[in-house]
Amino acid sequence: TIAYGRDAKNGKDAKIKMLVQSAQDRILRPKERDDGTVDMRDLGDIICVKVGDPLAQKVPLTEGIEGYSVTGTPIEPKPGEDISLKAGEGTILSPKNNDVLVSTKVGLPRLIDNGMEVDEVYKIKNVDVSTGHIKFEGSVIIDGDVAEGMKVIASGDITIGGFVESAIVESGGDITIGSGIIGRKQEVESVDVHDIVMSANIKAGGRIFAKYCQYAEISCADLRIENQLMHSIIDVENSLWVGTEEKANGKLIAGYIRAGTSVSAGTVGATAGSTTIINFEKRLSAYKEQLHELDERQKAESEKTNELQAASNKLKKLPADKVDQEMLTKVISTYKHHAAQLGEILNEKEQLEETIQDYMQSVYLEGTERIYHGVEMHVGDFHERTKREYGPSKMRYKERKVIIDPIVSG
């Protein structure tokens, strides 16, 4: 008979499992009443946790399974890495079970590394001239609307049941808007984008969601607009998604969009000769800045290396009795150090150039139903503008140009 061994199976790392949804997820999937309708009147009840509510749970590491060699010698597995559950402000480890984090107050749960914290919450029906502006350290919940000219600024999440008019809303976390964002109509596409000041201005450290949006300036990590996004100036760190959670089936009409990874919508552009500009320059600018720094460092190291090389050659040409050996050794060792530095810089440059190429090839704009005439996509120095209407298509960068490919449904 043939003797077989069995590999040891390494253990799994401990992980943290969230037991509550984020405010944004709760609002977007609210509890239905018995008759199937959704009650949006008191958002606080929907999205706040109460004292004692479980928030997160640690799933312990596993030790793994022992293996054995052909001769039967045991092979020890490597256990998983441990992590400790972190009790942020407004939370404690449950006295009944130290692997569960519970809330110590009524508030809004927020994710932190390896745990959660519960934010203080400021609740209000509407924000208008009668209430004044809101500035709050924590999270803000507004059941109704934010009226024209008002400001809402919070360090945590901002959740708005109704709509936002020409107002300023700024959040350190996510912003969720139950209805839409409606700024004042103005020229957007025919004006230099740097000269435009929009009346509605929405900024978040995290994600932003709204049902629809027009004539607004938005800046955040990720943006989802459910139905229609028109004539707006958008700056997203990652992706813009216009549509339902499952499918990018909304309308993206005109405007100026700076994105980090991708832009997806059902239809992009519009029939009435408007311009829609999608630009993937932000990350490229940062990469180019890094390249420039490496170039400067390379120049400095090259000069240094050349100087030392010349000095060492000069010393080597001297008659043997005139050579200061200590000096020569020092020059050669310094030369080697700088030459190694130069090698490292060249290596870093090569890697960065590869990263830039990979990035340029990864970004895209997709219209899952159609892309109209007058849609421009810029990737670094390369760009393309559609001159006709396309069916379901994807615009992307390939071999030094921006191309338009049909989307083939599989």
Side-chain angles (χ1 to χ4, degrees), residues 4-117:
Y4 290 102
R6 187 180 76 188
D7 286 341
K9 258 201 183 139
N10 288 337
K12 291 197 173 110
D13 294 348
K15 60 175 195 239
I16 308 289
K17 181 175 154 204
M18 295 309 150
L19 303 176
V20 289
Q21 289 179 312
S22 72
Q24 194 166 90
D25 293 335
R26 289 180 184 216
I27 283 256
L28 301 183
R29 304 187 193 81
K31 288 195 187 76
E32 290 183 356
R33 296 198 197 111
D34 296 342
D35 63 359
T37 57
V38 170
D39 183 6
M40 292 294 260
R41 265 191 326 240
D42 192 347
L43 293 179
D45 287 354
I46 301 175
I47 61 179
C48 283
V49 291
K50 293 183 253 335
V51 177
D53 279 359
L55 305 171
Q57 182 173 14
K58 174 176 155 179
V59 179
L61 60 83
T62 60
E63 294 294 340
I65 299 166
E66 194 182 70
Y68 48 84
S69 69
V70 175
T71 57
T73 315
I75 303 168
E76 289 303 316
K78 201 170 121 209
E81 297 268 331
D82 201 12
I83 44 174
S84 48
L85 190 55
K86 203 155 146 203
E89 212 173 304
T91 74
I92 51 165
L93 295 172
S94 163
K96 293 191 198 114
N97 177 355
N98 266 197
D99 284 340
V100 175
L101 199 60
V102 295
S103 177
T104 56
K105 64 183 183 192
V106 172
L108 209 58
R110 269 160 64 80
L111 234 52
I112 55 172
D113 282 347
N114 295 338
M116 290 195 115
E117 61 184 28

Side-chain angles (χ1 to χ4, degrees), residues 292-312:
H292 179 67
E293 277 170 30
L294 285 172
D295 280 337
E296 292 297 305
R297 277 172 54 203
Q298 181 186 344
K299 211 163 111 189
E301 290 293 344
S302 281
E303 281 169 15
K304 201 87 186 139
T305 312
N306 291 340
E307 276 168 33
L308 289 159
Q309 174 106 53
S312 117

Side-chain angles (χ1 to χ4, degrees), residues 40-44 124-126 141-145 159-162:
M40 292 294 260
R41 265 191 326 240
D42 192 347
L43 293 179
I124 191 166
K125 289 279 176 231
N126 293 293
I141 300 174
I142 300 157
D143 287 332
D145 310 322
T159 307
I160 298 161

